[in-house]
Amino acid sequence: MDLFSGREVLTVSELTRQIQDVLEAAFDHLWVEGEVSNLRRPASGHLYFTLKDEESQVRAVLFRPAARALKFDLEDGMHIVCRARMNVYRPRGEYQLILDYAEPRGVGALQIAFEQLKAKLQAEGLFDPVHKKPLPFLPSRIAVVTSPSGAVIRDILNITKRRFPSVDILVAPVRVQGAEAPAEIVEALRLLNETPGVDVIIVARGGGSLEDLMAFNDEGVARAIFASRVPVVSAVGHEIDFTIADFVADVRAPTPSAAAELVVPRRADLVQQLRTLESRAARAAERFLKLRRERLERLTERVRDPRRRLVDLRLALDERFSGLTASLVRRVRTDRERLRHLETHLQYLSPAVKVETLTFVLENLRKSMITGSFRRLEGLRSRLAVLTAVLDSVSPLSVLARGYAIARTIPEGKIIRRAQDLAAGDPVGINVAKGRFNAVVTTVEEE
């Protein structure tokens, strides 16, 4: 017996399909609230997370179009209320919520989006005062980005014409509310920055709810205002309304009418100011001229008569001329003496003079040598005479001349000094002063 005969047995797919049909039909449109958990942001742009409360949880998904339409950034832990439909994912037999709208529970989505964008742009420095550009003192052309049919543009035109009629107003018509408004405002700012002669831009609209002002809380509008090379005045809503545009703009006006008064000075005030300045300038010029005149008078009193000054200068000139002449004379005299000295020195150094001097010295030396030679010769001659006399005195001839004779042996010729060297009969030779003769010894006598 077949246990399952007569019974309806479903496959898992059939069961899942039937559950899908029932659930998706029963929960085609519902509102659910819960806490966001396990939020994932894949590259596809879809958002996957879990929606939970204290006891249960359910998977949820926001596909990219719905995620991009959110006015705030979804975050873990955020308590939201969402519009969804039930979906059964048959491959895993799981059910999940497909969301097409969500907003924070308690605080509105727009307010959350406002705070998030404000914090983001502030962190990037778009609100930094260092980037604020000053407004021109007297603009010649003002551009107004606003609705051309609203009361705002009429108020601005009336105020500017009343305060300074010659100011040129250029209106850039845009929608200031709705989904298309941010793009139109961004494009208007771009075009005005390329338009020559625009001195300042007013971005304006009247008051409204937070939803009405959302165009001025748009990130693209904020960045276009920040990038503007022309100063931008934000005049959106009433005095108590603040938008992102107010924080980014160079100047925030509490109302559009106040913006016109900030940008355009009152002509009558300027005229009065000019008259005041003219009066001050005139008084200042008068005081200046008076001071200069008094100073000129003081200087005039200090200035001496030019003729007296001329006399003094002439006397001084004469004195200096005399001194200069005397100085030149002294200088010429000194130079002349020096020249004479140099000439003398040069003459002394002349070769001719030197030859003459040396010749004179040489002549003196020659004379001295001759004189000396004569003197020495005379001395020698005298000495020779003395010596001659001495020699003559000791010469044998002198002895012979005095009558003595010199006896010599024959033939030896020896001088006979002793008688005993002779014997009787020895021949001897006798030398006398005048000649010589021989003799024979006849006797010898010894002593």
Side-chain angles (χ1 to χ4, degrees):
M1 179 178 180
D2 187 355
L3 180 62
F4 301 104
S5 62
R7 298 182 180 180
E8 183 183 7
V9 178
L10 301 176
T11 64
V12 174
S13 297
E14 290 171 341
L15 174 61
T16 304
R17 186 183 305 109
Q18 290 182 17
I19 293 173
Q20 180 184 25
D21 292 341
V22 172
L23 288 180
E24 291 185 355
F27 301 97
D28 181 54
H29 182 271
L30 69 159
W31 287 88
V32 184
E33 69 172 292
E35 180 182 337
V36 177
S37 177
N38 299 321
L39 176 66
R40 293 186 295 114
R41 300 176 185 272
S44 62
H46 310 320
L47 300 180
Y48 298 96
F49 56 97
T50 300
L51 197 61
K52 65 179 183 179
D53 56 19
E54 292 78 3
E55 299 179 353
S56 303
Q57 63 180 15
V58 61
R59 292 181 182 274
V61 59
L62 261 170
F63 290 118
R64 184 169 61 183
R68 295 179 62 179
L70 289 181
K71 300 300 183 183
F72 62 98
D73 288 337
L74 202 62
E75 299 174 352
D76 276 331
M78 187 176 286
H79 197 123
I80 64 172
V81 176
C82 56
R83 184 176 61 201
R85 60 183 173 84
M86 183 65 72
N87 171 260
V88 176
Y89 186 58
R90 287 190 295 174
R92 289 199 296 267
E94 297 176 349
Y95 73 91
Q96 59 185 358
L97 296 176
I98 306 298
L99 279 61
D100 60 6
Y101 175 80
E103 67 177 30
R105 182 71 174 177
V107 181
L110 295 181
Q111 187 62 36
I112 289 290
F114 174 84
E115 297 296 339
Q116 289 178 341
L117 180 59
K118 179 183 175 184
K120 176 182 177 182
L121 298 182
Q122 187 170 20
E124 294 182 16
L126 268 68
F127 305 160
D128 196 325
V130 73
H131 299 304
K132 306 297 183 184
K133 295 178 284 295
L135 298 181
F137 171 70
L138 182 59
S140 59
R141 171 176 282 188
I142 301 171
V144 182
V145 180
T146 189
S147 170
S149 58
V152 169
I153 187 61
R154 291 196 299 272
D155 292 343
I156 292 177
L157 290 174
N158 291 335
I159 292 173
T160 53
K161 294 302 180 184
R162 185 173 65 246
R163 293 174 69 87
F164 212 104
S166 61
V167 173
D168 183 21
I169 304 297
L170 179 63
V171 179
V174 296
R175 276 176 280 196
V176 293
Q177 185 174 343
E180 296 81 5
E184 292 184 4
I185 296 173
V186 170
E187 180 63 12
L189 288 170
R190 187 187 67 79
L191 292 175
L192 290 175
N193 271 272
E194 296 176 353
T195 302
V198 176
D199 297 319
V200 63
I201 299 173
I202 298 176
V203 179
R205 73 146 281 156
S209 64
L210 184 59
E211 289 79 2
D212 295 336
L213 302 180
M214 280 308 295
F216 300 92
N217 290 324
D218 181 80
E219 182 173 352
V221 172
R223 296 192 182 279
I225 293 174
F226 181 77
S228 175
R229 64 172 181 78
V230 180
V232 176
V233 177
S234 174
V236 179
H238 300 298
E239 187 169 356
I240 59 174
D241 298 327
F242 276 89
T243 64
I244 297 298
D246 293 333
F247 296 112
V248 182
D250 298 295
V251 176
R252 186 244 177 190
T255 62
S257 299
E261 293 176 353
L262 279 174
V263 171
V264 181
R266 193 189 300 274
R267 184 177 182 280
D269 293 342
L270 293 181
V271 171
Q272 181 59 38
Q273 188 176 357
L274 284 176
R275 288 174 179 170
T276 303
L277 292 175
E278 183 182 10
S279 177
R280 290 180 181 175
R283 289 197 297 271
E286 187 178 354
R287 285 196 300 272
F288 178 79
L289 291 175
K290 181 181 178 182
L291 292 175
R292 287 289 184 262
R293 191 179 296 113
E294 292 175 353
R295 183 180 180 186
L296 179 61
E297 291 175 355
R298 290 195 299 270
L299 293 175
T300 302
E301 293 175 356
R302 293 170 57 184
V303 174
R304 301 177 61 186
D305 187 349
R307 290 170 297 183
R308 295 177 60 187
R309 177 67 176 164
L310 183 59
V311 171
D312 293 343
L313 291 175
R314 284 178 176 174
L315 292 175
L317 179 62
D318 290 342
E319 184 178 355
R320 292 195 177 186
F321 181 77
S322 299
L324 182 61
T325 302
S327 176
L328 289 175
V329 169
R330 287 194 298 271
R331 180 67 179 271
V332 169
R333 187 179 299 154
T334 301
D335 291 345
R336 186 177 296 161
E337 291 295 330
R338 186 181 178 197
L339 180 61
R340 187 179 296 113
H341 175 73
L342 290 175
E343 286 177 352
T344 303
H345 185 66
L346 185 61
Q347 289 176 358
Y348 177 77
L349 295 177
S350 171
V353 175
K354 202 162 186 177
V355 168
E356 183 179 357
T357 302
L358 292 175
T359 302
F360 176 75
V361 172
L362 183 61
E363 180 65 21
N364 288 336
L365 289 174
R366 189 181 66 80
K367 289 179 180 178
S368 297
M369 288 180 65
I370 293 174
T371 303
S373 298
F374 275 114
R375 289 176 180 173
R376 184 165 181 80
L377 185 59
E378 287 297 326
L380 291 174
R381 185 176 293 147
S382 298
R383 187 176 179 185
L384 180 61
V386 172
L387 292 175
T388 302
V390 173
L391 288 175
D392 287 341
S393 63
V394 296
S395 174
L397 296 176
S398 297
V399 176
L400 294 177
R402 289 196 302 268
Y404 296 93
I406 299 173
R408 301 178 184 267
T409 63
I410 298 176
E412 290 84 4
K414 296 181 180 179
I415 297 175
I416 301 170
R417 300 183 183 275
R418 297 179 307 177
Q420 56 264 33
D421 295 335
L422 295 174
D426 292 341
V428 294
I430 304 299
N431 291 337
V432 294
K434 300 296 186 176
R436 174 177 183 273
F437 62 90
N438 296 331
V440 179
V441 179
T442 60
T443 61
V444 177
E445 298 178 355
E446 294 183 3
E447 295 180 352

